[in-house]
Amino acid sequence: MQKPIDVEIARLAEGQHGVFAAVHLALIGVKSHDRKYRVTNGRWIELHRGVYRVAGVPGSWRSDLLAACWAGGTRAVASHRSAAELHGLPGRSSSLIEITCHHWHRTRHDGLVVHESRALSDRDITIIDAIPVTTVERTIFDLCAVRGRKTVDLAIDNALRRDLTTFDRLAAASRRLGRRGLEGTRTLRSLLAERDPQYTPTASEQEQLLLDVLRRCNFPEPVRQFEIRDEFGVFVGRVDLAYPDLMIVIEYDSYQEHVGNQQHVRDRRRQSAIGAMGYTIIVATAEDVRYGQGAALASSLRRSIARARRLRAT
């Protein structure tokens, strides 16, 4: 028969991914000998010093992450790639546990990455699914130290697109954290400098990758999410990227995502209506944007731009 301690701990752990810490035991009056007895007899599994999981409760990435945060002290939080995973941002990873704390004095654990920092204030911390984690703004700043520029660029647009943050909040975090000389300052400032408070984020990661291809090939910056209307002002469709003055639009081919459903049919009808208005439509594929094979796309776009300029000159 379970004792009151076990019932209370089971109830507590249920809302904490099956884990709990010494501080919780102290709050409900669990004595040290009761703790030792349950660990010795296998009722509780000690994950870190003073951090436990109820035996029989399957471990998970989130339970291991929360346990690591508690092991790091009262100011430890999930950060970097683990924080990106919790926020659902590009650059995320659930294959490791990554935290930031003031000072780590525990033993090393496989798959555990610890960053020591005192430049972590309350405004940098939030809670997701009972786990203390860096805010979206701080997470993006930290990603600059562990992910490439392109991935951080995708993370910024993803966060803006989903209304997880704003340009002003990102800029404020960059100014505040940058003054402390933290790694990532230059990258974030550079990426924000390419935007402004009225910046329109791309509609998807594929669109952002498509935009990167055009930039690498030194094409002029296109208009993102351009609305096309007919001569009566009636809305015809919104396209990924466009050069409106040249009547050229560029779209990512979402066939693989939409095949067999009505969205794919609507996309084709929309493109047909846009083409009937005289626009040249260039379709980019996954091979163009993800696998570095954008040469065919660039060649097609150059020909279309040259043709449009010739027609304009006549």
Side-chain angles (χ1 to χ4, degrees):
M1 182 177 180
Q2 283 191 321
K3 294 185 177 180
I5 288 176
D6 299 302
V7 173
E8 194 159 357
I9 288 298
R11 187 182 301 115
L12 176 71
E14 186 178 6
Q16 300 177 163
H17 306 286
V19 298
F20 54 96
V23 64
H24 303 119
L25 300 178
L27 288 173
I28 61 177
V30 176
K31 305 298 182 182
S32 62
H33 66 271
D34 289 322
R35 184 194 318 176
K36 291 178 182 177
Y37 172 78
R38 284 164 173 76
V39 171
T40 301
N41 285 274
R43 293 189 184 181
W44 299 346
I45 300 169
E46 188 167 29
L47 303 175
H48 301 276
R49 190 174 66 192
V51 183
Y52 311 90
R53 184 172 70 234
V54 176
V57 175
S60 67
W61 176 79
R62 292 189 180 226
S63 67
D64 291 343
L65 181 60
L66 181 55
C69 289
W70 285 337
T74 57
R75 301 291 297 174
V77 298
S79 65
H80 297 74
R81 287 157 289 196
S82 290
E85 176 71 26
L86 292 174
H87 289 295
L89 295 173
R92 60 188 178 270
S93 174
S94 60
S95 63
L96 52 78
I97 303 296
E98 196 161 15
I99 68 171
T100 293
C101 59
H102 283 184
H103 181 65
W104 180 262
H105 53 83
R106 314 284 176 173
T107 57
R108 293 177 61 89
H109 289 261
D110 291 339
L112 176 61
V113 179
V114 179
H115 303 270
E116 294 185 357
S117 173
R118 295 191 178 276
L120 190 68
S121 66
D122 289 341
R123 74 182 78 178
D124 294 319
I125 301 172
T126 188
I127 301 291
I128 295 179
D129 199 12
I131 302 171
V133 58
T134 50
T135 61
V136 168
E137 296 79 24
R138 178 59 189 258
T139 299
I140 289 174
F141 183 90
D142 289 339
L143 279 176
C144 294
V146 296
R147 291 298 197 195
R149 178 186 174 88
K150 180 184 291 187
T151 299
V152 179
D153 199 27
L154 291 172
I156 291 173
D157 259 32
N158 183 287
L160 292 173
R161 181 168 59 248
R162 294 164 56 205
D163 293 324
L164 299 180
T165 188
T166 64
F167 176 89
D168 289 340
R169 282 158 54 187
L170 284 171
S174 177
R175 290 192 298 270
R176 176 172 57 84
L177 297 169
R179 287 198 296 268
R180 295 172 177 173
L182 296 179
E183 190 176 2
T185 300
R186 182 177 300 177
T187 298
L188 184 56
R189 284 179 176 172
S190 174
L191 289 170
L192 292 179
E194 296 174 357
R195 297 165 167 87
D196 58 47
Q198 284 72 49
Y199 172 79
T200 301
T202 53
S204 66
E205 291 181 21
Q206 291 84 359
E207 184 181 319
Q208 180 64 28
L209 292 170
L210 174 56
L211 187 59
D212 287 341
V213 171
L214 300 187
R215 288 171 175 167
R216 287 199 306 273
C217 295
N218 297 315
F219 285 106
E221 193 75 4
V223 177
R224 295 180 296 278
Q225 292 299 296
F226 179 67
E227 288 190 1
I228 295 178
R229 296 179 180 273
D230 65 16
E231 65 270 27
F232 303 107
V234 177
F235 177 79
V236 176
R238 180 181 289 106
V239 297
D240 296 336
L241 305 172
Y243 294 105
D245 57 329
L246 298 174
M247 300 285 285
I248 297 173
V249 301
I250 310 167
E251 295 244 86
Y252 176 76
D253 184 6
S254 56
Y255 178 79
Q256 290 181 337
E257 288 85 355
H258 294 155
V259 65
N261 64 31
Q262 292 185 349
Q263 181 60 48
H264 176 63
V265 174
R266 287 195 293 267
D267 283 347
R268 290 294 178 261
R269 287 175 178 169
R270 176 178 56 83
Q271 289 182 356
S272 295
I274 292 171
M277 293 177 62
Y279 281 89
T280 297
I281 302 174
I282 298 176
V283 177
T285 66
E287 287 74 16
D288 291 319
V289 302
R290 287 195 178 276
Y291 309 118
Q293 300 177 16
L297 171 66
S299 179
S300 177
L301 180 54
R302 287 193 184 97
R303 289 195 301 270
S304 296
I305 290 176
R307 183 169 58 250
R309 286 173 175 167
R310 285 196 303 270
L311 290 173
R312 236 181 13 172
T314 58

